[in-house]
Structure formats: C-alpha cells, structure tokens
Amino acid sequence: MPGYEVHEYDVLVVGAGGAGLRAAIAAAEEGARTAVVCKSLLGKAHTVMAEGGIAAALGTVDPDDNWRVHFRDTMRGGKLMNDWRMAMIHAQEAPERVLELERWGAVFDRTRDGRILQRPFGGHRYSRLAHVGDRTGLEMIRTLQQKAVALGIDVFMETTVSRILTDAGRVAGAVAYRRESGELLVFRARAVVLATGGVGKCYKITSNSWEYTGDGHSLAYWAGADLMDMEFVQFHPTGMVWPPSVRGILVTEGVRGEGGVLLNNKGERFMFNYIPEYYRAETAESVDEADRWYTDKRNNRRPPELLPRDVVARAINSEIKAGRGSPHGGVFLDIATRMGREQILRKLPGMYEQFLRLADVDITKEPMEVGPTMHYIMGGVRVDAETAATTVPGLYAAGEVAAGLHGANRLGGNSLSDLLVFGRRAGLHAARYAASLAQVPSISGDEIEEIANEMYAPFHCADGENPFSIQKELQETMQDLVGIVRTGDELKEALRRIQALKERAQRVSVPGNQQYNPGWHLAMDLRSLLTVAEGIALSALERKESRGAHTREDYPKEDPEQAKFNLVVRRNSDGEPVLEKVPRPELPEEVRKILEEA
C-alpha cells in the first residue's frame, strides 16, 4: 500500500508491560507470528512501578494460605462486584505463574530455608506477596523481556496505535504512527491483544506516567467493545506530596507491609479510628495488638494500616480535611522508628533512594509525607473470564485495561498476578483464534486514509485550541469533581465541562511538523483522555451508592440493589456513549460456600 509501511502478523499485542509481554510470549509459543507495539521504550512499562510484590498463595511463609483464601480476600476487597470466575481463575493460577517466572530466571527474596519469601499487604489475610525488595515489577519486566527477545518476537518501540481496524465486525489490524517521525504504520493482524494499562493522565495527581492516557480503553470502545465498571477508580493511599514536581509518585504499600505506620500532625496513629465493621473482627484495635502481629501473625489481627486501599485512602483524606494533615497537605508515614537503617536499605532500597534524591528526606531518620494519588482503574474493557476475549471477534484485553477481576476495589499485589494469569490467557486464545481463520481479514485503504486525515488535522487548523490547556482543564475537572469523594451535582458539572472540552478538542491546533512533536502527540491522546473521563463520570453519576473505591457523599451507604448490576458503557450509532445496567449473575452455591468459610 503506497505511502504506508505495512506489516502482517497473526497476533498484534498493544503494550509492552507485564500483560503485553506475557501475552506475546504465550502467542509466540503457540506458533503465532507475533509483534508487540509499545508507546515508549521497551523496559519502561508501568509495571516497573509495581514495587511491593506479586500476590499468589504459595504458602511459603503462611502454610495455611491457599487459593480459596486468596479468592475470598479478592472478592471481599472488591465488595463482591468482581467477576467471580475471573477471581477464581486468578487465585488458582497465580502460584504457577510465579513459579514459571522463577524458572525463567526471576530472582526473588528468600526465606531462611531457600523458598520464595512473601510479605503482608493490605486486604490479604496472609503474607502472600512474592517480592524482590521493593523492585518487584522491575524484575518481572526484566524476566519477561528476556524471554520475549529469546523467542524472536518483533517489537515496535515508541509507536502509538491510533485505531483498531475491523472487517465485517471482526478485527483486521491497526493503524499506528512512529512518535519519532510521525510516519504512518498499518498492521494487518488476525487478532489484537490490548495491554495498554490505565487512564491516570486524565487526573491532576497520579502515580501514572505520561503513557497512561486510556489508549486501550478508547481503542476497544471505538471498535465496538463494551467498557464496564468505569466508576471504580482507585486512589492509592500513599503517594509523595512534596516537592510539587514529584507529587503523586507512588510510595509502595510494602512500607506498611514491613511495619510502617500512618500518623497525623498530632503524632496520632489515626487508622484505629477508621476500621469498618466489615473488617473489625480481623483488624487489631490497639497499638500493642497491631505491633504484635509482625512477630506473631498466627492471631490474624492485622494492623489497620493494612486495610484495603479504599479504606486507607478515605481515612487519610478525612484527616487532611479535618486539619490534621502534614505541612504539605498529606499525612506522615513512619518506618524509621519501626526498622533499623540496615533493614530499610535491604528491604526498601527503592523508597530510600526515591525520597533521598527527590525530596531530600532520609527515611531511615524521618517520616515521609504521603497522600492519596490516582493509581489504578478497576473498570475497563469487558472480557470473557476464560479467554480474555472482548465482544469484538479477534480483540482481546488483559491487565489494567480489562475489567472484572478486581470488582469495586483492587487489593495490592493482585495487579502483577493479574498481568501474568490473564496476559497468558489473552495471548494463548488470540493465537488460537488467529489460527482458526482461513485468511487475514481485509483492510480498507479508504478507512486508513480517513484515519490519517483525522490524525494530521491539527497541523492544518490555524489558531485553534492548545492541547496542553485542554488537558490541564480536564485534569483539574477530574481531580476536583470526580475524585475520592463525589456528589451528583459535581458529577453533572464534570460532564458539562467534559462535553465542552470535547468540542474544543475538535479544533485543536499544533505548530511545527510531525517530527518529535509532543504537542501533536498530546493532541492525539486527548480523544482517548476525554473518552475515558466521560465514561468514568457517567458511570459514577449512575451508581447511587458508596462501594469500594466509589464514594458518593450524597449516597454514603452500600445499597444491595445497586450491587445487582454492572454499568456498561458502549458507543451508539452517533458515536456517543450509552450507559446500560447489566444484571450480575447469581453466585453458584459452591462459590458462596467458599466465601462463607472462616
């Protein structure tokens, strides 16, 4: 096709984080010609920011741990809004996926007898997170990259996918562009796996890096797939709050897992005041009882700092609003009085370096200032639990871009095992689907030309809108009106502003040419950012209760009736989002019995 660089594969994987690489490995091992397209450089995936560990019921530290307990913890953490089958598959397969990483060369911290060491984490009954200090995600990516390279998988770095191509309703490939040159690429593919991560850059304060602009969510949505549970946005309790240049950067939950405590400006360990009734029977209610847990975990009464993230984030938010926050608008996280310097340097080397270099704070001597930061979205593309297939034939999704596993709130550590379990399943079934097709679906030159004209339109719009201004206004809107605590009136105002920003984005203008043009790149990302922001606000307005990571000040309690459906956003014939309440299936009796086990 003249004017375009054309490539043909059986399986195209969009994203090179943990889910994308694991999908590519599975597809290649199944015999599919496989390629990975990543927005940044290989190795700079957001997975490396997942520091605490991989949740898997290996039972190396607590022999009573097993997949049934892990499944129950995940369902309870998700307020039973999870796809129960996804949660079960995840809990059952996670241990083998961790051991597989070990066989491929991953180096984990060890117990005294040489087994994989596991640490405690919020919402997990037992010490369950296999880890490598506080750099677990980095070790995962290193291992998966090495495996992918050994398999000869093609990688297109610094390349952004703009649209999924379809033929008669099924996947036919994708259109992308090289960020360096602006050159257009066309991929013919029998199947596409989306593993693009989250949506954090539509918020002002986020732990997410620049790549997280909701690409996979919007690509699937535009191709005709469903988005589900978009109202459930997780604010990690502990992001850096100072200096402003690093506000939002993640402070691993591993700090609290190793004994770190949260303090307000009065020196009070305030989390004892915020224990929900739901967790009271298994949460320590005094300082002495909480401290004993670290030396004798058999009592199972965990410190309140290890409650699920939604509980801790709301507690911190309440302390700050009550005037008991730190000087820079957060609270204090103290590990210095809990662990010796040598222990901190051995178990939390990344956190030590991060605070020393970025904030001039020595965490072996003084507390950190932390506060909630937009970290993860539980909502995403609606997928089949067994195959990770979307409602569009040939389109698959895994990792943060996919909905279902985590329900209303994700437990820490479940993200990395999610990437491994469902990344593998997505790649495997994408390869099998590709092999079932007699020929590659056809692509339309007219459609590609139309997409290209839309992509390059900002260069031909004189005196139009500034993309950076639009993103800034969107981030402020989402932070202020669709944040940790929401109200109906604020959500309606957010939707009004988002609609106005969508109209302005149609007239966006960028100077210069296609080479190394960040303004143009952001202009391309705006459509995705606005799409996911609208989906979040629409769903948050419709869910009239407080559940998990979704808190409505005007509907402060959980409503059993609201738990009977998932909210699904899909595109109508006019290109506008339509919201549908999809009834949730009844839990099978055998699943209920597992959830009721002591």
Side-chain angles (χ1 to χ4, degrees), residues 83-94:
D83 180 319
W84 70 265
R85 181 59 185 149
M86 288 185 78
M88 184 174 284
I89 290 170
H90 167 254
Q92 290 172 334
E93 294 187 5

Side-chain angles (χ1 to χ4, degrees), residues 113-404:
D113 59 357
R115 295 180 296 167
I116 294 175
L117 183 62
Q118 297 185 275
R119 64 163 48 118
F121 237 56
H124 293 279
R125 177 173 289 274
Y126 297 113
S127 296
R128 187 178 287 143
L129 270 73
H131 59 278
V132 187
D134 58 1
R135 295 170 176 167
T136 312
L138 181 63
E139 181 67 3
M140 176 189 280
I141 286 296
R142 182 197 68 78
T143 304
L144 292 175
Q145 276 184 191
Q146 201 167 22
K147 180 72 172 177
V149 169
L151 289 170
I153 295 168
D154 291 343
V155 180
F156 295 81
M157 289 188 282
E158 295 188 298
T159 300
T160 299
V161 174
S162 298
R163 200 76 56 83
I164 300 296
L165 297 171
T166 58
D167 174 28
R170 62 180 181 176
V171 162
V175 176
Y177 71 96
R178 296 189 192 277
R179 300 179 70 85
E180 174 189 358
S181 63
E183 178 186 7
L184 202 65
L185 302 180
V186 174
F187 292 95
R188 297 173 61 116
R190 298 166 185 256
V192 172
V193 177
L194 297 173
T196 53
V199 305
K201 296 311 287 185
C202 65
Y203 280 86
K204 183 178 179 181
I205 300 173
T206 179
S207 65
N208 296 177
S209 56
W210 64 268
E211 300 97 333
Y212 265 36
T213 54
D215 296 5
H217 291 74
S218 53
L219 288 170
Y221 171 80
W222 298 331
D226 294 343
L227 300 182
M228 187 175 79
D229 294 341
M230 294 296 285
E231 68 272 30
F232 297 125
V233 177
Q234 183 178 84
F235 289 80
H236 194 290
T238 55
M240 294 181 74
V241 300
W242 189 259
S245 60
V246 296
R247 188 175 178 89
I249 290 180
L250 191 66
V251 179
T252 176
E253 198 165 332
V255 176
R256 285 173 283 137
E258 297 293 348
V261 296
L262 292 165
L263 307 170
N264 60 24
N265 61 18
K266 297 181 178 181
E268 298 168 337
R269 198 169 165 184
F270 59 85
M271 279 306 303
F272 289 103
N273 302 323
Y274 296 94
I275 304 171
E277 193 62 39
Y278 195 64
Y279 288 100
R280 194 163 292 278
E282 57 199 60
T283 305
E285 296 189 355
S286 70
V287 171
D288 289 342
E289 186 182 15
D291 287 347
R292 282 198 304 271
W293 184 84
Y294 285 100
T295 54
D296 182 12
K297 300 184 179 64
R298 288 171 295 179
N299 59 22
N300 287 331
R301 298 269 289 182
R302 296 167 297 184
E305 284 85 3
L306 293 181
L307 285 163
R309 288 173 176 177
D310 59 322
V311 178
V312 181
R314 281 196 298 272
I316 292 173
N317 192 57
S318 297
E319 289 293 303
I320 295 168
K321 283 190 171 183
R324 296 188 290 270
S326 64
H328 300 109
V331 295
F332 296 105
L333 175 57
D334 176 30
I335 190 68
T337 60
R338 321 292 294 182
M339 293 174 69
R341 177 181 174 84
E342 292 305 315
Q343 278 186 299
I344 292 174
L345 294 180
R346 179 166 55 85
K347 292 194 171 186
L348 301 166
M351 289 298 97
Y352 173 78
E353 289 289 333
Q354 180 173 308
F355 274 88
L356 195 63
R357 292 177 181 274
L358 300 180
D360 196 26
V361 169
D362 184 344
I363 68 171
T364 68
K365 299 177 181 178
E366 54 189 314
M368 301 158 251
E369 280 192 71
V370 299
T373 177
M374 188 277 163
H375 179 58
Y376 192 94
I377 184 165
M378 280 67 69
V381 186
R382 189 182 181 190
V383 295
D384 173 69
E386 306 290 339
T387 64
T390 73
T391 53
V392 177
L395 185 62
Y396 298 78
E400 188 174 355
V401 74

Side-chain angles (χ1 to χ4, degrees), residues 346-521:
R346 179 166 55 85
K347 292 194 171 186
L348 301 166
M351 289 298 97
Y352 173 78
E353 289 289 333
Q354 180 173 308
F355 274 88
L356 195 63
R357 292 177 181 274
L358 300 180
D360 196 26
V361 169
D362 184 344
I363 68 171
T364 68
K365 299 177 181 178
E366 54 189 314
M368 301 158 251
E369 280 192 71
V370 299
T373 177
M374 188 277 163
H375 179 58
Y376 192 94
I377 184 165
M378 280 67 69
V381 186
R382 189 182 181 190
V383 295
D384 173 69
E386 306 290 339
T387 64
T390 73
T391 53
V392 177
L395 185 62
Y396 298 78
E400 188 174 355
V401 74
L405 169 60
H406 306 294
N409 179 51
R410 176 178 69 80
L411 297 185
N414 272 356
S415 58
L416 290 188
S417 43
D418 172 16
L419 304 181
L420 296 172
V421 171
F422 291 103
R424 173 185 170 274
R425 281 182 171 253
L428 182 68
H429 290 283
R432 290 176 180 175
Y433 170 85
S436 73
L437 299 181
Q439 59 186 25
V440 180
S442 62
I443 57 178
S444 164
D446 290 341
E447 183 183 5
I448 294 168
E449 187 174 348
E450 182 182 335
I451 293 169
N453 288 336
E454 185 178 314
M455 289 168 61
Y456 301 133
F459 291 113
H460 308 297
C461 180
D463 301 321
E465 294 280 352
N466 185 322
F468 294 97
S469 297
I470 294 176
Q471 186 192 27
K472 181 174 181 290
E473 291 184 40
L474 175 65
Q475 290 177 331
E476 290 172 349
T477 294
M478 295 298 287
Q479 193 73 37
D480 296 342
L481 305 179
V482 199
I484 296 178
V485 180
R486 304 153 174 178
T487 68
D489 289 342
E490 288 178 342
L491 292 167
K492 290 174 184 176
E493 174 60 17
L495 286 167
R496 187 194 66 77
R497 293 187 192 179
I498 290 168
Q499 186 59 43
L501 291 173
K502 283 172 65 178
E503 293 172 5
R504 288 171 58 190
Q506 296 295 319
R507 305 185 301 274
V508 74
S509 174
V510 294
N513 54 40
Q514 297 163 205
Q515 285 78 38
Y516 300 106
N517 194 326
W520 180 47
H521 299 160

